[in-house]
Amino acid sequence: MYENEIQIKRRDNEERVTAERARVLRLPYLDTRNFESTIPLTEGVMSVQEMRKDHIIPLQEGGGEEHYQFMVTSRTPRSLIENKRREYTDEGERADFFLISESAYNVFMLRYDPPREVHYDDIKIAGEGDSETISSVSETLATVSTEKVFDFLLDQADKLGASDIHIENLRDTIRIRMRVDGILHPVANIDRDRYRVFMGELSSRANVSTASNEPQSGHMQKEIINGDSSHILNIRVETIPTMYGQDAVLRLFNFDESLLNLDLLGLSKEEFETLNEVISHPRGLVLMVGPTGSGKSTTLYSMLNALNSTDRKIITLEDPIEYGISGISQIPINTNNGGSFAEGLRSVLRLDPDVVMVGEIRDSDTAKTAIQASITGHLVLSTFHANNTAAAFSRMIDLIGVNPIFSSSIRLVMAQRLVRKLADSKMSRPATEAEIRYIHGVLADVPQDKLADINLDNITLYDPVPVENAPFGFSGRTVIVEQLIISDDIQAYIRGDVTDINTKAIEETAKKNGMLTLEQKGVLAALRGETTLEEISRVI
């Protein structure tokens, strides 16, 4: 608003100066602000080249076909005006000239000669050792205009389905990489002039300082327009000072509320029914575990979306807020500036919520507060950093000690990973001896009913085959889920009935109760042709 007021004042001042100049030049002054964007253009009187060369614009034909009106500026040669006036008079016609401001002239010229839309080549992801593609993309970025290069990069990242953009300072250049389907790919190398453009845009849009010597966090949004449709791209910005300058990572969240749906997560029927049954209860604690980038936030938001109705009060505590969901009260917690999930949770419980989502349980205070909330009539959802569900249990017990209340509050722990999904171009092959031994070892204690569609006597695996629309042979990602349902045997560990509390013991007990581990789920996905054993090994 302030910037708009400044522009209006500048234009007012320019028009006053132009009016004074008109009196000196003995030309009628014309203020075009009321009609310069709407008046029909006068075509065929002069070419665009003439208008640009002499700073003259035809206004309209008035008072008959012999009467012409032109707009000129203080930069228009006086000799040109006199010559044209004489020329029209000699031919029995009439020409009137009006002095306008430079701003008015520029508005009209944008209408007569609008800037041509420039189309740049789409960014392509380079394969390993593919320096030609990197060079090509680097050249494309070098040709994109300064004011568009940052938006161009964001548009291309969204088009590629990238989850992150990494801008990294090397000794002689700036490297740009994008994470697509969980894999970090080199995209381009740019010079430091372009880097200053990126950091300048980040500074103004995400409210981070380019001169800071401390790590910073910021947030911004961008509307992505694709034909007649559009969506909002939420961008979390993290910067950190390095030896050669500030590195930046932009985490991209393609916000589309309709996609936050449990049906679209890729869960099996059994996994879906288990999750749906647990979150339909009015109280209890549900924990999501897994590393950064494993899709925990998407799963949690999908749970919230499923629970979002007019008869429920839902509050979230987040650091930062990644998706905005209508109908839910979302509270940002800035833990970098002294904010605390535990304090925030204690505050929101006074608002009588039905469902609370805590961004992350990081300390014993938050854990105990969440447990207390979950046994007093609230459904509490949260994330917890651990490799798998059994590790989450042992870590939680380490955090809060043996706690009988925890045993009655916790209902489900769910670990997940995202693995790349094979494209339709995949090729089948028989498993090698080493692969057969590995598969048999992993699936040795899996119940037969879970292997109904798997033939372990004649194992077939699949390899990726690169094609044009899937240059690495993969297309998108699928979720691998491990669900630990809290049974009496598991509760015994929390209550202290079992003295030997360790991750392996908890996992073995859960497996006896029918749980499949992440590795087992991953191997079964590879046998079904959804992914590869190498991908399971890389991720799990």
Side-chain angles (χ1 to χ4, degrees), residues 3-19 29-37 71 99-108:
E3 185 177 343
N4 190 44
E5 289 175 358
I6 291 176
Q7 291 174 345
I8 291 173
K9 288 180 179 178
R10 284 177 179 169
R11 181 69 186 268
D12 285 341
N13 185 58
E14 185 182 2
E15 294 299 331
R16 278 196 299 272
V17 172
T18 304
Y29 161 70
L30 183 61
D31 186 344
T32 65
R33 281 177 288 184
N34 291 331
F35 61 84
E36 61 192 18
S37 299
M71 296 177 291
L99 190 72
I100 62 173
S101 65
E102 283 293 327
S103 292
Y105 169 79
N106 290 332
V107 172
F108 275 103

Side-chain angles (χ1 to χ4, degrees), residues 103-385:
S103 292
Y105 169 79
N106 290 332
V107 172
F108 275 103
M109 285 310 301
L110 278 174
R111 294 182 62 198
Y112 273 106
D113 188 25
R116 293 170 181 81
E117 188 174 350
V118 181
H119 294 279
Y120 301 103
D121 292 336
D122 285 341
I123 286 178
K124 291 183 173 60
I125 295 296
E128 189 173 348
D130 183 3
S131 58
E132 288 186 11
T133 298
I134 294 176
S135 296
S136 173
V137 175
S138 302
E139 289 173 7
T140 297
L141 280 177
T143 64
V144 181
S145 60
T146 300
E147 66 273 12
K148 293 182 179 179
V149 65
F150 189 77
D151 286 327
F152 173 74
L153 197 64
L154 290 175
D155 287 338
Q156 290 295 305
D158 181 74
K159 188 177 289 189
L160 289 167
S163 60
D164 309 293
I165 302 174
H166 294 245
I167 303 172
E168 303 161 323
N169 286 268
L170 304 181
R171 181 191 295 273
D172 300 316
T173 187
I174 308 298
R175 178 173 65 180
I176 295 179
R177 295 192 288 174
M178 293 185 186
R179 193 180 297 279
V180 179
D181 291 341
I183 302 293
L184 205 55
H185 298 281
V187 170
N189 296 314
I190 62 173
D191 62 38
R192 293 191 175 274
D193 288 341
R194 288 283 145 147
Y195 167 74
R196 283 191 285 271
V197 172
F198 289 135
M199 294 310 294
E201 288 290 331
L202 281 179
S203 175
S204 60
R205 296 195 196 187
N207 195 27
V208 295
S209 170
T210 57
S212 175
N213 292 321
E214 301 291 333
Q216 300 172 92
S217 297
H219 178 265
M220 54 187 282
Q221 288 186 332
K222 183 182 187 305
E223 183 180 15
I224 303 292
I225 299 174
N226 186 11
D228 296 331
S229 64
S230 67
H231 62 268
I232 298 297
L233 192 64
N234 276 306
I235 305 155
R236 187 199 298 178
V237 178
E238 304 289 341
T239 68
I240 190 166
T242 68
M243 180 184 293
Y244 300 113
Q246 278 196 10
D247 281 11
V249 176
L250 284 62
R251 297 199 65 198
L252 313 180
F253 301 93
N254 182 348
F255 177 63
D256 186 341
E257 200 168 318
S258 66
L259 297 179
L260 298 176
N261 190 319
L262 290 177
D263 293 324
L264 302 178
L265 291 180
L267 302 176
S268 68
K269 182 181 178 183
E270 184 180 1
E271 292 163 348
F272 177 82
E273 289 175 351
T274 297
L275 182 58
N276 217 24
E277 193 273 331
V278 168
I279 65 174
S280 65
H281 282 265
R283 68 176 184 85
L285 176 63
V286 177
L287 289 180
M288 284 291 309
V289 303
T292 301
S294 59
K296 300 189 301 295
S297 296
T298 300
T299 301
L300 275 177
Y301 278 110
S302 296
M303 293 185 207
L304 292 175
N305 223 16
L307 294 166
N308 192 8
S309 60
T310 55
D311 61 343
R312 284 193 183 96
K313 173 75 171 181
I314 301 176
I315 300 178
T316 71
L317 303 167
E318 305 175 60
D319 179 23
I321 296 172
E322 295 178 358
Y323 299 101
I325 303 179
S326 53
I328 293 178
S329 301
Q330 296 174 263
I331 302 171
I333 302 293
N334 191 343
T335 55
N336 291 330
N337 288 334
S340 162
F341 280 120
E343 290 178 8
L345 182 54
R346 280 191 285 268
S347 298
V348 302
L349 290 177
R350 302 187 193 109
L351 304 178
D352 190 30
D354 297 292
V355 182
V356 179
M357 192 268 273
V358 181
E360 185 181 349
I361 292 178
R362 300 174 182 172
D363 52 61
S364 60
D365 193 13
T366 307
K368 290 174 182 177
T369 308
I371 290 167
Q372 190 65 37
S374 66
I375 63 169
T376 55
H378 308 90
L379 176 64
V380 180
L381 313 175
S382 188
T383 67
F384 191 61
H385 272 290

